[in-house]
Amino acid sequence: MFRTALRNVLAHKARLLMTVLAVMLGVAFVSGTLVFTSTISAAQKKSSEKGFTGVDVAVQPHRQSGDKGNPGEAPKLSQALLDRAAAVPGAAGATGSVSGFAAIADKHGELIGEGFNSTGANYYPGTGGKDARYPIKSGRAPQGPGEIALDAKTAERGGYKTGDTVRVSVDGPVLQQKLAGIFTTDDGNVSAGGSLALFDTPTAQKLYGKPGEFGEIYVKAAAGTSQAALKAAVEKILPADAEATTGKQLADEQARMIAQNQDAQRTILLTFAGIALFVGIFIIANTFTMLVAQRTKELALLRAVGASRRQVTRSVLIEAFLIGTAAGAAGLVTGIGIAVGLRSLLKGNGAPLPDGPLVIEPSTILVSLAVGIVVTMLSAWLPGRRAAKIPPVAAMNSVHAAPTTRSLVVRNAIGGALTAIGAAVVLTASGSQTMGLGAGVVLIGIFVLTPLLSRPMIAAAAPVLRLFGMPGKLARQNAVRNPRRTAATASALMIGLTLITGMTVIAGSVQQAIDKLATSSMKADYVVSMASMTSLSPDVEKKLAAHPGVAATSPLRMSPSRVDGDFENLTGVNGATIGKLTELDFTAGSFEGLSGDKVVIDDATARTHHWKPGSSVPVTFEDGKKGTLTVSGVYKGNELMRGIMVDVKTIAPHQSEISDRQVLVKTKNGAGASVKESLRKTLGDNPAIQIQTKKDISNSIAKGINLLLNVLYGLLAMAVVVAVLGVVNTLAMSVFERQQEIGMLRAIGLDRKGIKQMVRLESLVISLFGGVMGVGLGVFFGWAAGDLIAKTLNTYELVLPWGRMGLFLLLAAVVGVLAALWPARRAAKLNMLSAIKAE
């Protein structure tokens, strides 16, 4: 039976290639995902380990919780504590670290690197006046408030050399710093495309904290002292608000976080790989079903000469095993190429990916081969069982056994039941998680019913097909002749277009909802913030308020507090101007009189705490002082504005470090390019500060949504490519199966052009059936998901992207035309007499 299976595989090379390609693409997606994520994870882990070289024990502050401590209290580490840590038994020295955000502009004023990876830190001279963390490549270490040092990669990208003046921004205002030195570093952020600027320690402490205080203290062990022993010694001198951690623990924790992030990325990519494989299952099952039908006499003869049902099934499964092995190996190699290409593409587009060698783990090889083999054998199992049931007497007949309709009736009954149950759940559970489950059941039910739905939907195309004369009529009859085959062929395309359409509907609806949100809740012309989403200096708001073209400004300032026993962020605003800058829908009260102990709250917070206008709210401010606030208004919260708002003058006395999250700006003459440029110049042409209109905010969100959508399109394109192969495979084998029929049509007068047209129209009809079903189910999927989104985004409304939906149907038609090229040409080239004699 093994030799028989091997002969069958090698006897049909074109059929073998199509089937291998269908499986290979899915496997390539899986192996490419595993190689890519393993490579990035290993590079990030190695980079993080380098970052902790020389750190044997780290001393870090921790916030106190519960009823002790203040809500905003952030313990600091003093110089005295650093000196004591350096003197503990087993310590060879200690280094104090201070760090935060530092944006570096190049010579053209543009931000170097990504905002989130733009870091500033201190240079802490140790033994010999050097900081072992940052070896100086040229120049010297920074000394005094007017000097910095840059990492070598950032200096190169900015075109800087020692002695140049560098524009730096920490929290808004631009600092003009002299470049004292250039250093090398193993810092993970730098290797991933970020930047690192070093200040001398007193300057860094002033910028990122308080004089004489550190964010972390790193202790190096003396020779012969273990990290555990040093940690135990350090813990004896620590105050209650500090903790010690070994360097190994820090590296392990960072590695765990990296792995966790990679797991999320891997899960998303593998989901799409699974979709491609799921589509491939239908193609393979369809292929093996047709193979069995074509080999009825051959398999029946095997039964007649003594082969058992188990041996016949085994023969089909061995054939599937050989194909799966070949596809798995080819998919692994292709996947490695995909991983290399993806990494190069992302790095070329500025993605912050660390450098490192390609990592191909043994598990990746095993998973790729296993997926190829298991998917193929599972897909071939049912056709193999059907093959085993062929009676030996069929070997004496020249016709294939008539297919039974019993299984089709059972399938339709199951599909109808699932659709009815899912529809009932959707109608009775609108707006809940259960609705999503019901919608999923409906999709599965419709999917099961595709053979039943194929007949009426293809029949609807009859008037158009009549325009093509006899080839059109024959194409329609061929398309409905075998509903199972038509459904299986169309299903591959249907799955891909369902997901693409559903994602497009959701993305378009969410984008419109955000546009409405920005328009309806904001009167401000501009929102000013840091590109890194870090805090702004209060000087920014003062400079903007003094601008002659500005009518009103208000900061949005966060202050951690304990309100009514729960930790909450108070949002500080300018009570006198906030009403001119926002347009919130108040259910009670207003912004009028927002000063002193008066606050306004969103409706969700009001419901949670049972507050209303006039309610007294006990509060513990971030410095630990207690007070009472009075609710003066309740507004409808949204994604942009929510929480407890209080006048900034009320919270400022309780804040040790005053900084703003954003600044709202309304100008006298409205938004405009010249006004925006004027505001930018007022802030010193700072590349780290972004000045956005409502449209800019909407576009930035749209950019993220469109980027995600384009990634999804790219990933789901894999499923569409697999679907094209499925249509090609089905048509090619259908032509082979019907060669006698095609020969008869040629004999009675249908020319080669008519044969080609017949096959092309059949392919077009099947593809458009899959396209219409996919777009329809995608709209349903988008509507069901949108009903859940509307619960959290109250401006959400269903938006149907008619243009893109039409484009998707055109794509389905193109798939049909392209897929038919080779089968149609093959059918037209059949020798008339040989085809008529074929059995």
Side-chain angles (χ1 to χ4, degrees):
M1 299 309 295
F2 179 81
R3 286 197 299 271
T4 302
L6 185 60
R7 180 183 59 79
N8 285 327
V9 169
L10 298 176
H12 306 282
K13 294 181 178 62
R15 184 185 74 204
L16 169 67
L17 179 62
M18 287 292 179
T19 310
V20 166
L21 277 174
V23 185
M24 185 197 77
L25 287 173
V27 173
F29 210 158
V30 173
S31 62
T33 296
L34 294 175
V35 171
F36 176 75
T37 53
S38 295
T39 299
I40 300 304
S41 181
Q44 288 180 334
K45 185 177 179 181
K46 185 177 180 181
S47 179
S48 69
E49 287 173 349
K50 285 182 178 179
F52 292 110
T53 302
V55 178
D56 293 305
V57 172
V59 178
Q60 301 167 315
H62 61 76
R63 290 181 184 271
Q64 297 179 355
S65 58
D67 295 328
K68 298 179 180 179
N70 303 322
E73 184 181 19
K76 300 294 182 180
L77 308 177
S78 66
Q79 180 69 49
L81 178 61
L82 186 149
D83 294 337
R84 289 200 302 272
V88 298
T95 301
S97 175
V98 185
S99 63
F101 171 72
I104 309 297
D106 62 18
K107 292 188 176 181
H108 302 289
E110 299 297 324
L111 181 67
I112 298 177
E114 298 290 330
F116 293 102
N117 289 330
S118 300
T119 308
N122 68 311
Y123 187 92
Y124 190 90
T127 306
K130 296 181 180 179
D131 190 333
R133 298 173 298 172
Y134 311 114
I136 299 296
K137 181 180 179 182
S138 63
R140 57 173 174 77
Q143 298 171 359
E147 295 184 346
I148 63 166
L150 288 179
D151 70 89
K153 289 187 177 181
T154 299
E156 182 181 354
R157 283 184 290 171
Y160 289 120
K161 60 183 184 297
T162 54
D164 288 346
T165 299
V166 181
R167 298 172 72 240
V168 185
S169 175
V170 172
D171 59 358
V174 176
L175 306 175
Q176 302 283 347
Q177 304 288 107
K178 178 183 177 182
L179 183 59
I182 296 172
F183 62 92
T184 58
T185 178
D186 290 325
D187 187 279
N189 282 334
V190 173
S191 64
S195 63
L196 178 60
L198 298 180
F199 304 87
D200 69 303
T201 297
T203 303
Q205 288 174 329
K206 182 180 178 182
L207 292 172
Y208 300 121
K210 289 184 178 179
E213 294 183 344
F214 299 96
E216 292 182 309
I217 294 173
Y218 301 133
V219 187
K220 185 170 180 59
T225 303
S226 67
Q227 289 188 354
L230 182 59
K231 177 188 173 187
V234 169
E235 284 177 336
K236 294 177 181 178
I237 64 154
L238 294 184
D241 57 6
E243 60 185 352
T245 309
T246 65
K248 185 178 185 307
Q249 287 175 322
L250 289 175
D252 290 344
E253 176 62 19
Q254 189 154 342
R256 186 190 65 79
M257 292 176 65
I258 289 170
Q260 198 172 36
N261 292 335
Q262 290 297 318
D263 284 344
Q265 186 182 57
R266 184 184 286 118
T267 299
I268 293 170
L269 293 173
L270 286 177
T271 298
F272 290 99
I275 291 169
L277 285 169
F278 186 62
V279 172
I281 285 174
F282 290 96
I283 296 170
I284 302 162
N286 204 19
T287 300
F288 275 93
T289 299
M290 296 170 70
L291 292 177
V292 169
Q294 291 173 10
R295 287 159 47 196
T296 300
K297 291 186 67 175
E298 176 188 330
L299 296 172
L301 280 170
L302 288 174
R303 292 291 314 282
V305 297
S308 65
R309 286 187 175 184
R310 183 176 296 177
Q311 285 178 309
V312 171
T313 303
R314 193 183 304 155
S315 171
V316 176
L317 290 178
I318 289 172
E319 189 173 343
F321 173 81
L322 295 173
I323 291 173
T325 303
L332 173 62
V333 175
T334 307
I336 293 170
I338 289 174
V340 173
L342 182 60
R343 186 170 68 160
S344 299
L345 178 65
L346 291 175
K347 290 195 75 171
N349 288 328
L353 300 179
D355 298 321
L358 195 69
V359 177
I360 305 171
E361 297 179 351
S363 59
T364 300
I365 299 173
L366 293 175
V367 167
S368 300
L369 291 174
V371 166
I373 293 168
V374 170
V375 166
T376 311
M377 292 186 71
L378 281 176
S379 305
W381 178 71
L382 192 58
R385 283 195 64 194
R386 289 200 194 110
K389 291 180 179 179
I390 296 173
V393 71
M396 310 304 168
N397 299 324
S398 59
V399 295
H400 302 320
T404 176
T405 60
R406 181 169 174 265
S407 61
L408 196 57
V409 172
V410 172
R411 175 172 177 166
N412 291 338
I414 294 172
L418 288 173
T419 304
I421 292 170
V425 172
V426 168
L427 293 175
T428 57
S430 179
S432 69
Q433 297 289 340
T434 311
M435 180 186 175
L437 178 63
V441 173
V442 170
L443 290 174
I444 294 171
I446 296 293
F447 183 76
V448 174
L449 283 174
T450 46
L452 179 65
L453 296 172
S454 64
R455 286 183 179 276
M457 292 192 70
I458 291 175
V464 177
L465 291 174
R466 287 196 194 102
L467 299 176
F468 296 92
M470 185 55 66
K473 182 179 180 181
L474 291 171
R476 183 185 66 80
Q477 291 175 345
N478 289 334
V480 299
R481 178 186 297 182
N482 191 329
R484 291 189 190 89
R485 180 186 300 171
T486 298
T489 305
S491 292
L493 189 60
M494 184 180 78
I495 293 169
L497 287 182
T498 295
L499 294 168
I500 289 174
T501 305
M503 295 296 181
T504 303
V505 169
I506 293 170
S509 301
V510 168
Q511 180 56 46
Q512 178 174 284
I514 291 169
D515 285 342
K516 284 184 178 179
L517 197 61
T519 304
S520 63
S521 65
M522 285 179 58
K523 292 181 184 176
D525 295 312
Y526 296 101
V527 177
V528 180
S529 62
M530 294 292 283
S532 61
M533 295 302 152
T534 52
S535 298
L536 279 167
S537 166
D539 290 342
V540 171
E541 196 257 344
K542 292 176 183 176
K543 288 182 179 180
L544 290 170
H547 189 284
V550 171
T553 64
S554 174
L556 293 180
R557 184 178 301 169
M558 294 300 142
S559 176
S561 306
R562 190 182 296 112
V563 180
D564 199 22
D566 296 328
F567 280 101
E568 296 273 0
N569 269 322
L570 296 178
T571 302
V573 298
N574 186 329
T577 61
I578 189 65
K580 302 175 184 177
L581 297 161
T582 60
E583 193 167 2
L584 299 177
D585 185 7
F586 276 82
T587 58
S590 68
F591 278 125
E592 290 295 326
L594 183 61
S595 61
D597 66 347
K598 300 292 193 297
V599 296
V600 295
I601 59 175
D602 67 289
D603 51 353
T605 303
R607 285 193 301 270
T608 301
H609 294 277
H610 306 290
W611 292 336
K612 58 184 179 181
S615 296
S616 295
V617 180
V619 59
T620 302
F621 294 102
E622 61 177 280
D623 62 352
K625 293 184 179 179
K626 299 181 183 297
T628 302
L629 302 175
T630 303
V631 177
S632 64
V634 178
Y635 65 92
K636 290 183 179 179
N638 56 51
E639 295 300 309
L640 297 179
M641 305 290 288
R642 62 173 57 183
I644 304 172
M645 293 191 197
V646 61
D647 192 272
V648 287
K649 295 176 183 176
T650 303
I651 60 174
H654 304 284
Q655 294 183 292
S656 57
E657 298 174 19
I658 296 177
S659 59
D660 300 327
R661 183 167 58 89
Q662 293 175 324
V663 176
L664 304 181
V665 180
K666 187 166 184 62
T667 58
K668 294 176 181 177
N669 298 319
S674 60
V675 176
K676 186 174 182 178
E677 185 61 28
S678 177
L679 294 177
R680 189 178 298 281
K681 288 187 179 299
T682 298
L683 297 177
D685 282 324
N686 192 328
I689 294 181
Q690 55 185 8
I691 303 173
Q692 296 178 299
T693 63
K694 288 180 280 191
K695 186 64 177 175
D696 291 335
I697 294 172
S698 180
N699 288 341
S700 67
I701 297 172
K703 184 179 179 181
I705 292 174
N706 288 331
L707 178 62
L708 176 62
L709 202 58
N710 289 334
V711 170
L712 294 178
Y713 285 166
L715 295 172
L716 290 171
M718 185 73 73
V720 176
V721 171
V722 175
V724 173
L725 291 173
V727 177
V728 174
N729 212 10
T730 300
L731 288 174
M733 300 184 74
S734 179
V735 167
F736 175 80
E737 190 178 79
R738 303 199 316 255
Q739 56 182 320
Q740 190 177 53
E741 174 187 317
I742 292 170
M744 289 296 296
L745 289 172
R746 293 274 288 112
I748 60 175
L750 190 63
D751 59 10
R752 289 186 174 181
K753 182 180 178 181
I755 294 293
K756 283 184 179 180
Q757 196 172 49
M758 176 187 74
V759 176
R760 287 172 185 161
L761 288 172
E762 180 184 352
S763 174
L764 184 63
V765 166
I766 292 173
S767 296
L768 281 175
F769 166 60
V772 170
M773 290 288 293
V775 170
L777 289 175
V779 170
F780 175 77
F781 171 68
W783 167 77
D787 204 57
L788 295 175
I789 295 172
K791 291 183 66 180
T792 55
L793 191 59
N794 53 20
T795 54
Y796 184 92
E797 290 181 6
L798 183 68
V799 176
L800 295 181
W802 295 106
R804 289 201 180 188
M805 286 160 59
L807 189 64
F808 296 154
L809 289 176
L810 180 62
L811 172 66
V814 171
V815 166
V817 172
L818 293 177
L821 291 177
W822 179 59
R825 188 176 180 183
R826 183 181 176 188
K829 283 187 173 182
L830 285 175
N831 183 280
M832 192 188 310
L833 295 177
S834 299
I836 292 173
K837 290 190 294 180
E839 294 185 356

